[in-house]
Amino acid sequence: QAQLAESGGGLVQAGGSLRLSCAASGRTFSTYAMGWFRQAPGKEREFVAAIRWSGAIPLYADSVKGRFTISRDNNKNTAYLQMASLKAEDTAVYYCAAGPRLSTYDGEYNYWGQGTQVTVSS
């Protein structure tokens, strides 16, 4: 059964950095787009970043552009989200997802991880 598993979340001070990983298992996701979404308490899930299977021309939410970098290693079946200059408003549960096409819409993604908590203290 195909699964995605996030790791790398934690508590960090504002201005700090974290790198999230999303390890895929059960099938290869090398031809899938990979996305990162987040959900803060009391808010709807929102798009953060996405990357094509080739890694070319990733998409970012305006709120993270210039601070977050999405990447992937198809040989390791793993996607990453490097987060820098973190702000308190980045606090959320972060989810990785896989789908057949690049999209900012969560409905386009078929596979989801269980989420990892990122807390940024101000």
Side-chain angles (χ1 to χ4, degrees):
Q1 184 176 356
Q3 290 185 327
L4 301 176
E6 304 92 339
S7 61
L11 174 64
V12 63
Q13 288 188 334
S17 300
L18 279 176
R19 188 177 82 155
L20 305 183
S21 299
C22 173
S25 61
R27 62 158 294 158
T28 179
F29 286 92
S30 60
T31 60
Y32 274 60
M34 301 293 292
W36 287 95
F37 292 78
R38 67 186 182 186
Q39 187 167 21
K43 294 187 177 181
E44 293 187 353
R45 185 165 58 191
E46 64 175 1
F47 169 76
V48 175
I51 189 168
R52 291 177 176 82
W53 67 269
S54 66
I57 317 177
L59 297 178
Y60 295 98
D62 287 343
S63 59
V64 306
K65 202 171 293 184
R67 299 188 299 121
F68 291 11
T69 303
I70 188 171
S71 61
R72 65 190 297 164
D73 185 336
N74 288 336
N75 291 325
K76 296 182 178 179
N77 229 14
T78 300
Y80 305 95
L81 185 68
Q82 179 69 48
M83 305 184 294
S85 302
L86 283 162
K87 306 175 182 179
E89 51 263 44
D90 294 318
T91 295
V93 177
Y94 283 70
Y95 299 89
C96 71
R101 62 188 62 84
L102 190 71
S103 177
T104 62
Y105 174 50
D106 57 2
E108 293 280 0
Y109 293 86
N110 306 109
Y111 301 94
W112 290 84
Q114 81 288 350
T116 185
Q117 176 70 46
V118 172
T119 303
V120 183
S121 63
S122 56

